């Protein structure tokens, strides 16, 4: 169990570091108040976790150790659903209703489609 926790922690470190990098770079690329960094990591994370779970379900493509590193660790550290909730709160506080609606719909609907797409790619 301790070994699996360490593996997940290593993956989490990489995911968290990459999440930090996206959070620092994205505002310079978009020049926008919209939470593009959080949206980007959540959508990419949805696609990656779809690919990984699809590979795990195919059998033998993803060992329990790699699942701990990539799914629990990397994806858990990379995606930022708690930040998503806080971004929604901030948009609500600013009474930015249209950006709030767009953010929620894109995060949930597009995220769902990307999980489906990732699983579909691996299922072929």
């Amino acid at each position: 169990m301790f070994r699996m926790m360490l593996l997940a922690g290593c993956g989490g470190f990489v995911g968290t570091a990459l999440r930090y990098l996206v959070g620092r770079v994205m505002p310079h690329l978009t020049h926008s108040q919209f939470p593009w960094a959080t949206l980007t990591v959540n959508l990419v994370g949805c696609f990656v976790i779809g690919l990984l779970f699809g590979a795990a379900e195919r059998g033998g493509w993803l060992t329990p150790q790699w699942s701990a590193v990539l799914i629990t660790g990397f994806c858990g550290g990379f995606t930022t659903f708690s930040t998503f909730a806080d971004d929604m709160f901030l948009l609500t506080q600013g009474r930015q209703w249209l950006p709030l609606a767009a953010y929620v719909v894109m995060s949930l609907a597009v995220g769902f489609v990307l999980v489906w797409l990732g699983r579909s790619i691996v299922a072929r």
Side-chain angles (χ1 to χ4, degrees):
M1 172 126 160
F2 185 71
R3 181 172 184 261
M4 295 297 272
M5 288 173 39
L6 286 175
L7 290 170
C10 289
F13 171 79
V14 173
T16 300
L18 188 55
R19 163 65 182 108
Y20 176 80
L21 181 63
V22 171
R24 299 293 294 179
V25 170
M26 191 64 72
H28 299 289
L29 298 176
T30 64
H31 306 289
S32 170
Q33 294 286 334
F34 190 81
W36 286 112
T38 304
L39 180 64
T40 299
V41 296
N42 282 339
L43 295 178
V44 169
C46 286
F47 181 67
V48 169
I49 207 164
L51 288 172
L52 294 171
F53 271 122
E57 289 169 356
R58 291 285 303 224
W61 287 22
L62 199 60
T63 65
Q65 292 79 11
W66 278 109
S67 178
V69 171
L70 297 173
I71 294 173
T72 305
F74 178 79
C75 288
F78 183 65
T79 59
T80 55
F81 201 79
S82 58
T83 304
F84 167 70
D86 188 63
D87 287 338
M88 289 188 301
F89 177 78
L90 293 174
L91 289 169
T92 300
Q93 273 194 322
R95 300 193 191 300
Q96 297 181 40
W97 307 118
L98 188 57
L100 172 67
Y103 186 46
V104 170
V105 169
M106 283 191 288
S107 294
L108 298 177
V110 176
F112 175 81
V113 169
L114 290 174
V115 167
W116 170 83
L117 180 63
R119 287 174 170 259
S120 297
I121 289 170
V122 173
R124 292 183 185 182

